[in-house]
Amino acid sequence: MKSNTAAMSDKFTFVSSQSSDHQLSTYQGRFVCRYAYGRAKETMLQGEKGQDFVAVHIEGDTCNFVLCDGVGQSYQGDFAARFLGNRLMGWLGTTREWSSSAFAAFLSEITVAASEQLKQLTPPEEVPSLLREVLEVKQRLGSQTMYICGRIELPSSRKKHGRIWMAWQGDSRLRFWKNDAEISEHFQTTMLTSERWSTLKGPIGGLPHVYQTRLEYGLPMRLQLYTDGLDDLDPIRQVLPGEQVQLLLNAPHTGGLQDDAAFLELQW
Amino acid sequence: MNYTIQASQRTPALIIYLIDISASMNMLMDDKRRIDVVYEALSLAIRQMVFRSTKGNRLTPRYRIAILAYSDDVYDLLNGIKGIDEIAAVGSLPDLTPKRFSDSAKAFRQAERILQSEIPHMQDCPAPLICHMTDGVATGDDPEPIAKRIMSMSVPDGNVLVENIFISDHMLDQPIMQPRRWKGILPETELQDEHAVKLRNMSSPLPESYREMLAEADYLLATGALMMLPGSCAELVSIGFQMSAATPVRA
């Protein structure tokens, strides 16, 4: 387990590489941030890219984060996850007043650039003709990803109230603890596999879910996000030691991960 | 026992097709020979499996398939069980050529032997599925007792599923005008044909997970529907073959 301590400026950025795994690591500043990335065993053996994506940027009292789970059955799900993840980080870094409608509009606007880039990713020539035909159909249907993103602005002794804003579509896990009590019920009914972002259509299966609340000074909170490759975490409510989170990522009981997994936990 | 295990490279689904190639399969349906309608529907189901098995540009072998064509004998068209990746590499299915009779009991017996040898190695896999397509009364032994034995075989995911596609214009008292809105054959549905009643007895209830997958493709079969389709038009035959490939897979 790696550990990074806040530098004087308290700035920290992590962006997962889809080509390699990242062991559970911890950054400690005003936020305590734990993050990790693991590819499915099948993906690793084939030397392919993972289809998940996770990124976090902390600067003093603020934190922007994104977690995406590319849809394996869409065309190049890793592309949608990476493209949307990077665009959302950019949007979170430049937007100060959030609204659901502006967010949904942004998700639709970026489909033009996404579709243009996806067009360049043609199926390889050497694959069997049936597979190539299927891949070409999928390319026309676009690349899809599920996502959770958000921004946290912490309260301080000078600024009594902070705020958290989050948006999501899909079945990745979003869990929230206030003073050690889990308050994730609000999110659970909205984590739907049928809801995604598509390079072709923008949000599909419904509009993005949005949550915003004030943060009180001095109240400890924990936010945990992970993709379904780490669903072994679902029944665990307490803070799991780093070694045990890594054990779930190594998944020795199944000879490796069955699906790609991205993990991000923020405490303050 | 709820048919929710997802087909994956490590836990592939096994589907055994039993295709009647008796002489009557030369008869026309929608201006095509029945055998050609079946060939196209089976090819489409294979294509659907390829669609559901790709990750990136790679085809992961999430499905394993055997195709047994039967007349007075049984013909193993793939020469054993083949992965969907191997089938895709070949590109097309072997030809289906109609012959004489229709001894479905022989075909079910061969499927039973395949399952007896495969099931011990499939404990973490989705429940296997037999998809039987016929257009008439079986000659030879009664297939029902063998089908019942097969339906009692199981893995932790559930009992082996048996699906029947019966190409017939006289099975239901009313034609199905809108296949996509059709609710399916229920245990109490009145059937006009004795052989259809036999095939219904040999058909498993449609698992909820399969029903949901078909709903995603806009086929609205009702809860409690059986895995039985009247092949009165090409679309219904196609739905039948798509049903066979509706094993849950990871999105």
Side-chain angles (χ1 to χ4, degrees):
Chain A
M1 250 60 60
K2 290 179 187 168
S3 184
N4 305 310
T5 309
M8 289 297 283
S9 58
D10 197 8
K11 252 190 190 182
F12 168 73
T13 301
F14 171 74
V15 181
S16 62
S17 158
Q18 291 174 309
S19 304
S20 60
D21 295 357
H22 190 98
Q23 297 248 317
L24 186 80
S25 304
T26 305
Y27 165 81
Q28 297 202 38
R30 280 213 64 197
F31 293 92
V32 177
C33 171
R34 299 199 297 174
Y35 52 98
Y37 188 86
R39 288 172 299 160
K41 186 187 169 192
E42 275 179 24
T43 309
M44 243 186 342
L45 289 176
Q46 300 289 335
E48 292 177 341
K49 285 180 183 161
Q51 301 206 332
D52 290 356
F53 177 92
V54 57
V56 59
H57 176 72
I58 295 171
E59 196 163 341
D61 291 340
T62 65
C63 172
N64 298 332
F65 57 87
V66 171
L67 178 126
C68 295
D69 182 353
V71 176
Q73 281 190 48
S74 71
Y75 186 69
Q76 310 273 15
D78 61 294
F79 169 78
R82 186 172 62 250
F83 179 91
L84 182 66
N86 283 318
R87 290 299 178 108
L88 286 175
M89 284 303 280
W91 186 81
L92 290 163
T94 52
T95 306
R96 288 295 163 266
E97 291 308 320
W98 311 299
S99 76
S100 300
S101 57
F103 181 66
F106 171 75
L107 291 180
S108 294
E109 280 161 21
I110 58 175
T111 58
V112 178
S115 296
E116 202 52 48
Q117 288 186 28
L118 191 70
K119 225 185 272 177
Q120 312 306 317
L121 301 175
T122 50
E125 294 290 340
E126 65 275 13
V127 298
S129 58
L130 175 58
L131 175 57
R132 189 177 166 79
E133 284 168 28
V134 166
L135 290 173
E136 283 168 353
V137 171
K138 286 192 175 199
Q139 190 183 24
R140 284 197 291 277
L141 296 173
S143 185
Q144 297 177 4
T145 185
M146 307 185 196
Y147 66 89
I148 302 170
C149 67
R151 179 178 170 92
I152 303 164
E153 295 172 356
L154 291 183
S156 63
S157 52
R158 288 185 194 159
K159 192 176 96 181
K160 290 288 180 204
H161 296 297
R163 60 179 179 166
I164 181 169
W165 179 92
M166 294 189 285
W168 63 92
Q169 281 187 291
D171 65 3
S172 293
R173 288 16 172 208
L174 196 176
R175 302 176 70 181
F176 205 14
W177 285 262
K178 193 187 258 185
N179 230 351
D180 283 340
E182 185 164 6
I183 50 166
S184 307
E185 293 76 15
H186 172 74
F187 311 120
Q188 278 159 3
T189 54
T190 62
M191 313 312 281
L192 302 169
T193 310
S194 57
E195 297 185 350
R196 298 140 188 209
W197 177 81
S198 149
T199 55
L200 185 67
K201 296 179 175 173
I204 52 174
L207 288 170
H209 301 278
V210 174
Y211 174 84
Q212 182 168 2
T213 191
R214 283 199 322 189
L215 299 175
E216 305 293 329
Y217 182 66
L219 189 65
M221 301 190 92
R222 178 162 67 107
L223 182 69
Q224 190 181 63
L225 320 174
Y226 52 93
T227 55
D228 60 355
L230 257 185
D231 57 5
D232 284 347
L233 265 178
D234 289 350
I236 300 169
R237 298 175 82 91
Q238 70 274 31
V239 179
L240 206 58
E243 295 78 14
Q244 289 185 35
V245 176
Q246 188 58 51
L247 194 64
L248 294 179
L249 283 157
N250 295 341
H253 56 296
T254 49
L257 284 168
Q258 297 299 298
D259 195 3
D260 303 325
F263 173 83
L264 178 67
E265 189 180 65
L266 295 157
Q267 281 182 268
W268 62 89
Chain B
M1 293 281 261
N2 51 7
Y3 302 99
T4 52
I5 291 184
Q6 294 174 327
S8 67
Q9 184 165 353
R10 194 179 65 86
T11 60
L14 172 62
I15 305 172
I16 303 173
Y17 290 99
L18 309 182
I19 310 288
D20 179 349
I21 52 166
S22 58
S24 55
M25 290 297 287
N26 274 317
M27 291 168 67
L28 294 183
M29 175 204 285
D30 295 352
D31 298 326
K32 287 180 186 163
R33 290 189 309 161
R34 288 174 173 178
I35 198 78
D36 295 331
V37 170
V38 166
Y39 186 88
E40 282 173 20
L42 182 56
S43 300
L44 189 65
I46 296 289
R47 193 185 176 89
Q48 187 186 355
M49 288 181 223
V50 171
F51 196 96
R52 300 175 76 203
S53 300
T54 52
K55 186 179 179 190
N57 287 326
R58 186 165 56 90
L59 183 53
T60 59
R62 291 177 175 171
Y63 294 88
R64 297 165 69 233
I65 294 154
I67 304 177
L68 307 178
Y70 69 88
S71 174
D72 9 5
D73 277 313
V74 179
Y75 306 89
D76 183 346
L77 297 187
L78 297 178
N79 200 18
I81 299 169
K82 294 285 184 286
I84 189 69
D85 52 332
E86 295 173 275
I87 295 170
V90 174
S92 63
L93 293 171
D95 282 340
L96 297 172
T97 309
K99 296 192 185 296
R100 293 174 62 202
F101 298 116
S102 179
D103 192 344
S104 61
K106 266 189 188 169
F108 272 98
R109 246 184 241 115
Q110 187 155 332
E112 186 181 29
R113 281 195 292 274
I114 292 173
L115 289 168
Q116 282 164 344
S117 124
E118 290 294 322
I119 278 184
H121 315 294
M122 292 188 63
Q123 296 305 299
D124 296 328
C125 298
L129 183 142
I130 308 279
C131 178
H132 174 222
M133 193 293 309
T134 180
D135 71 340
V137 179
T139 55
D141 293 341
D142 181 2
E144 188 175 339
I146 310 163
K148 293 280 188 196
R149 286 203 301 272
I150 287 174
M151 289 160 82
S152 69
M153 299 166 93
S154 68
V155 293
D157 187 46
N159 284 49
V160 175
L161 296 166
V162 177
E163 177 192 345
N164 285 283
I165 304 167
F166 183 32
I167 296 185
S168 163
D169 292 327
H170 315 293
M171 184 171 145
L172 299 168
D173 55 1
Q174 287 185 337
I176 298 162
M177 305 307 288
Q178 291 183 292
R180 285 184 184 272
R181 303 275 83 83
W182 180 58
K183 298 293 176 197
I185 292 177
L186 300 164
E188 62 275 15
T189 302
E190 199 168 311
L191 300 177
Q192 305 294 311
D193 183 304
E194 207 175 296
H195 188 55
V197 173
K198 178 167 278 297
L199 288 174
R200 179 166 64 188
N201 294 339
M202 296 162 50
S203 300
S204 304
L206 180 67
E208 187 58 21
S209 56
Y210 279 62
R211 202 177 70 82
E212 286 168 6
M213 292 297 274
L214 288 163
E216 277 182 28
D218 202 25
Y219 293 116
L220 303 179
L221 294 161
T223 302
L226 295 168
M227 298 188 91
M228 182 174 179
L229 275 294
S232 53
C233 65
E235 185 168 9
L236 283 162
V237 174
S238 182
I239 296 172
F241 281 101
Q242 287 183 58
M243 182 184 281
S244 70
T247 323
V249 291
R250 201 177 274 275

